[in-house]
Amino acid sequence: MIVSRNIFFNIIRYSIGILVTIACIYYVQKQEDILPILSEFHVELLFPVCFFIMLHLISLYLLWKRLIKGLASIKPQERQVLHSFFGGRTMGFISPGHTGELFKGLFFSRGQRLEATGLSLINSGYGLLIRLVLGICASIYFIYRVSSLITLFRYITISLVFILIIGMIVYKYRKKIFNKLSFSSILIRQLFDLQSYISNHFKNNSSLFVIKNVTISIAANLFSLIAFMFLLKGFSISVDYIDGLMAYEASYLVMSLLPFTPAGIGMREGARVFFFTLIGSSSAAVLCASFLMTLFNIILPAIIGMWSINYFVKEASK
């Protein structure tokens, strides 16, 4: 029953992602023809794109490896860390908003999975922290650059109404929510264990260790930004570096705050088209660049991760 329900929700999420993508393509196509712009791409720029995406993935892997070998009581093999990383990329591709990457702990033995899952939460927390800080800065940048006070007031009002509705729903069904949590005592204990891993991470580790991890996370973020800028150059789009950084981070923040579709399908493309057109970029070029970025940065690593999923299935069957 639970499995069929998860399949049903995944079908809905994929459907939403596909519909948002189709709507985005239709919107852009009405403004300018996409195919001629796609055919004008300078293929030679794929080399620096792939190079910086590789640096992006290597940075993320180094961060994950540092957390596993520096904090965990488990002593994993290099192959096990590599499989958990790429397997997490695959799980992230089929889950809403990359949350599947939290299942990296599945690639460890049963006694180590809870601790490894706690470390995957810490790993994702670093990336989320960077996206939130840079995304908020980017949002403020665009508010002062392109928005009027009336538009800002409208967005704030919509946000407050949305929060109020969520609060009323939670308050109305608080007893049912409490009862469900009470019946799920095992789940509650696991959540508290995961929370303790995160809090202990900042209490029991030196500031230098945390600063190095933050630096690696920032580098990974910037490498993906540079790769996307090269993709835009491939379509003969030159963007000011500050404007490009702000547009990229703002769209990244939107995708993180709206994790409805698997791997952010549709949400990512729509957000990038919106913010990059605000700084004068061609919507068709941005859309094509976003599709290529998704292919190289998300789909290809997820395909490689199928090998890691196969490894996990074999290990679990032993």
Side-chain angles (χ1 to χ4, degrees), residues 120-133:
S120 68
L121 281 171
I122 296 171
N123 182 66
S124 298
Y126 277 109
L128 181 60
L129 175 65
I130 301 304
R131 290 196 296 270
L132 281 175
V133 172

Side-chain angles (χ1 to χ4, degrees), residues 55-281:
L55 290 179
H56 167 71
L57 294 174
I58 290 172
S59 299
L60 293 177
Y61 174 74
L62 288 177
L63 177 60
W64 174 237
K65 183 179 177 180
R66 277 175 57 84
L67 291 173
I68 285 291
K69 294 194 172 182
L71 299 181
S73 58
I74 56 180
K75 302 299 179 184
Q77 299 178 352
E78 190 74 29
R79 182 178 62 177
Q80 199 173 17
V81 178
L82 189 65
H83 279 305
S84 64
F85 176 76
F86 279 105
R89 301 291 294 187
T90 303
M91 298 295 289
F93 179 69
I94 61 177
S95 60
H98 295 286
T99 53
E101 291 200 34
L102 300 179
F103 291 100
K104 290 176 180 175
L106 290 175
F107 295 85
F108 297 87
S109 61
R110 290 187 177 181
Q112 302 170 341
R113 285 176 185 170
L114 183 59
E115 185 176 3
T117 302
L119 292 174
S120 68
L121 281 171
I122 296 171
N123 182 66
S124 298
Y126 277 109
L128 181 60
L129 175 65
I130 301 304
R131 290 196 296 270
L132 281 175
V133 172
L134 294 178
I136 291 172
C137 293
S139 300
I140 295 173
Y141 176 84
F142 278 106
I143 287 173
Y144 279 100
R145 174 177 175 142
V146 298
S147 295
S148 64
L149 291 176
I150 296 177
T151 304
L152 176 60
F153 178 78
R154 184 188 308 158
Y155 289 154
I156 293 175
T157 303
I158 293 174
S159 301
L160 290 176
V161 170
F162 180 76
I163 294 172
L164 180 62
I165 293 174
I166 295 297
M168 291 174 62
I169 293 174
V170 172
Y171 180 79
K172 182 178 181 180
Y173 297 101
R174 64 188 185 281
K175 292 184 179 179
K176 292 183 179 179
I177 294 173
F178 177 79
N179 290 333
K180 287 185 178 181
L181 291 177
S182 300
F183 287 126
S184 306
S185 57
I186 297 177
L187 175 61
I188 296 299
R189 285 200 301 269
Q190 289 180 341
L191 289 176
F192 275 113
D193 288 338
L194 291 177
Q195 187 273 336
S196 66
Y197 283 130
I198 296 174
S199 60
N200 289 335
H201 169 68
F202 293 100
K203 291 180 181 178
N204 301 331
N205 291 281
S206 64
S207 300
L208 182 61
F209 183 81
V210 175
I211 291 172
K212 286 182 178 179
N213 291 340
V214 171
T215 303
I216 294 173
S217 186
I218 292 174
N221 186 288
L222 293 179
F223 285 142
S224 65
L225 165 66
I226 295 172
F228 189 74
M229 298 289 276
F230 270 109
L231 283 172
L232 289 179
K233 284 187 177 180
F235 292 104
S236 301
I237 300 295
S238 296
V239 178
D240 179 78
Y241 287 110
I242 299 298
D243 287 345
L245 171 65
M246 294 303 171
Y248 188 82
E249 298 302 337
S251 60
Y252 218 154
L253 177 65
V254 170
M255 188 198 71
S256 300
L257 296 178
L258 299 174
F260 302 133
T261 61
I265 296 173
M267 301 295 180
R268 180 189 304 101
E269 286 71 29
R272 284 175 180 164
V273 168
F274 175 76
F275 284 105
F276 274 92
T277 52
L278 289 180
I279 59 175
S281 300

